[in-house]
């Protein structure tokens, strides 16, 4: 197991990609903090799955392997509390997965300030300050660590009607590049995982619209939507010692979507 003895916090892990990441890190032997904002039942479900399948516990009940914490990533004070409580619970933190993210559909000229703030606060400000609190903890304890951001193909690719979302993911790209330099001397690495179209609650609407879904599938060379596990396996790799020399990079998990251009 690659993550024996490590403690990982995965933000937004009551469902979707975050939940799959928690399960995969736990299967690799990590202790995990499950964070949720509005779905305590999802967080409990994630925890129950960790306890049932956590590799470290070999199917036995292991109440100490996982823990749930409620926090809104859009609030800096809640973000700071989340990091502090995570450290309190397991005594330290080694891996931060900035996964929580939201998107709002609207033509640019109709975007409200409230929707812009909601997206930017969770997707960028929350990530910024969670990472800052994590880095401060590593500096205090004189240890190295790993930061993995769940970005999107839309840190590169335009996505009309989701301009705030794209701006937040573009910001996440530069956050990782910048911090790779600032944190390098501390032995802390930071990388982005950029999913394409993954079957999760964030795109329920799309999944229920056969026409839109069909058009999207045409753009994916591998011919299928991604599954949360497709993303989680890469995160587990980036969280491991095998990637100690990798920082400041983005890795796409998109079935080939990003660079697919064809002329008929
Ligand atoms: C978005 C999804 C979208 C996918 C592919 C993701 O970042 O969250 O809504 O379907 O990118 O465009």
């Amino acid at each position: 197991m690659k993550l024996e003895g490590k403690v990982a916090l995965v933000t937004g892990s009551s469902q979707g990609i975050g939940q799959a990441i928690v399960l995969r890190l736990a299967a690799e032997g990590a202790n995990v903090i499950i964070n949720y904002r509005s779905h305590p039942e999802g967080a409990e479900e994630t925890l129950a799955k960790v306890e049932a399948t956590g590799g470290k516990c070999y199917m036995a009940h292991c109440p100490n392997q996982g823990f749930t914490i409620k926090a809104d990533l859009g609030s800096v004070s809640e973000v700071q509390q989340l990091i502090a409580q995570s450290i309190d619970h397991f005594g330290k933190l080694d891996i931060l997965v900035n996964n929580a993210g939201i998107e709002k559909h609207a033509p640019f000229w109709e975007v409200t300030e409230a929707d812009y703030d909601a997206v930017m606060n969770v997707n960028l400000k929350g990530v910024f300050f969670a990472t800052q609190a994590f880095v401060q903890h590593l500096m205090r304890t004189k240890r190295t660590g790993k930061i993995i951001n769940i970005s999107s193909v839309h840190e590169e690719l335009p996505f009309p009607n989701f301009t705030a979302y794209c701006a937040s993911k573009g910001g996440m790209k530069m956050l990782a590049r910048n911090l790779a330099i600032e944190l390098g001397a501390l032995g802390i690495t930071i990388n982005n995982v950029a999913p394409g179209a993954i079957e999760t609650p964030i795109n329920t609407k799309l999944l229920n619209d056969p026409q839109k879904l069909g058009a999207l599938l045409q753009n994916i060379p591998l011919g299928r939507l991604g599954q949360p596990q497709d993303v989680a396996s890469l995160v587990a790799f980036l969280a491991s010692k095998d990637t100690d020399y990798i920082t400041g990079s983005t890795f796409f998990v998109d079935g080939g979507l990003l660079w697919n251009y064809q002329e008929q």
Side-chain angles (χ1 to χ4, degrees):
M1 279 191 282
K2 288 181 186 292
L3 302 175
E4 193 85 46
K6 301 290 182 195
V7 180
L9 164 62
V10 183
T11 66
S13 42
S14 60
Q15 58 183 11
I17 292 173
Q19 183 181 72
I21 294 171
V22 159
L23 297 181
R24 185 59 200 264
L25 298 185
E28 295 289 344
N31 290 104
V32 284
I33 312 282
I34 298 153
N35 154 251
Y36 67 98
R37 177 178 61 176
S38 46
H39 292 291
E41 70 294 341
E44 288 306 322
E45 179 195 294
T46 313
L47 180 58
K49 286 186 176 172
V50 166
E51 290 182 356
T53 61
K56 193 176 166 194
C57 302
Y58 301 107
M59 308 301 285
H61 185 73
C62 54
N64 292 325
Q65 200 188 1
F67 187 65
T68 70
I69 301 179
K70 178 177 163 67
D72 177 355
L73 268 289
S75 151
V76 173
S77 61
E78 288 192 35
V79 164
Q80 288 166 341
Q81 269 175 25
L82 170 64
I83 301 285
Q85 285 173 16
S86 304
I87 295 164
D88 268 5
H89 188 78
F90 286 121
K92 64 163 187 168
L93 210 47
D94 303 290
I95 299 157
L96 171 65
V97 183
N98 287 310
N99 167 74
I102 58 173
E103 66 187 29
K104 306 255 182 198
H105 177 280
F108 171 68
W109 45 91
E110 285 175 16
V111 174
T112 62
E113 185 179 356
D115 280 354
Y116 173 93
D117 283 346
V119 169
M120 287 306 223
N121 287 351
V122 172
N123 295 11
L124 198 53
K125 189 163 89 171
V127 171
F128 189 106
F129 287 100
T131 303
Q132 185 188 65
F134 177 56
V135 166
Q136 287 168 348
H137 161 65
L138 293 177
M139 291 175 82
R140 270 196 308 271
T141 53
K142 297 193 171 46
R143 292 179 313 117
T144 61
K146 293 193 184 279
I147 301 153
I148 299 153
N149 298 320
I150 306 306
S151 174
S152 164
V153 283
H154 300 298
E155 71 165 51
E156 293 291 348
L157 190 67
F159 193 13
N161 301 309
F162 291 91
T163 296
Y165 181 75
C166 285
S168 72
K169 296 302 183 181
M172 189 177 241
K173 175 173 83 175
M174 287 313 295
L175 181 105
R177 290 185 184 181
N178 231 59
L179 294 188
I181 301 169
E182 272 195 78
L183 305 181
L186 302 169
I188 301 169
T189 63
I190 178 163
N191 290 290
N192 286 5
V193 168
I198 310 294
E199 217 174 310
T200 72
I202 205 170
N203 47 31
T204 308
K205 262 198 195 148
L206 170 90
L207 298 173
N208 291 323
D209 183 331
Q211 223 175 340
K212 277 192 182 164
L213 185 58
L216 172 62
L217 286 172
Q218 292 283 315
N219 288 332
I220 304 176
L222 288 182
R224 66 167 176 91
L225 293 176
Q227 294 301 315
Q229 294 81 350
D230 292 320
V231 180
S233 51
L234 177 58
V235 174
F237 176 56
L238 288 172
S240 76
K241 263 197 79 53
D242 290 345
T243 61
D244 278 355
Y245 198 60
I246 299 178
T247 195
S249 291
T250 292
F251 299 87
F252 295 94
V253 187
D254 68 349
L257 169 70
L258 176 60
W259 303 121
N260 183 20
Y261 173 75
Q262 298 179 44
E263 273 188 34
Q264 302 306 328

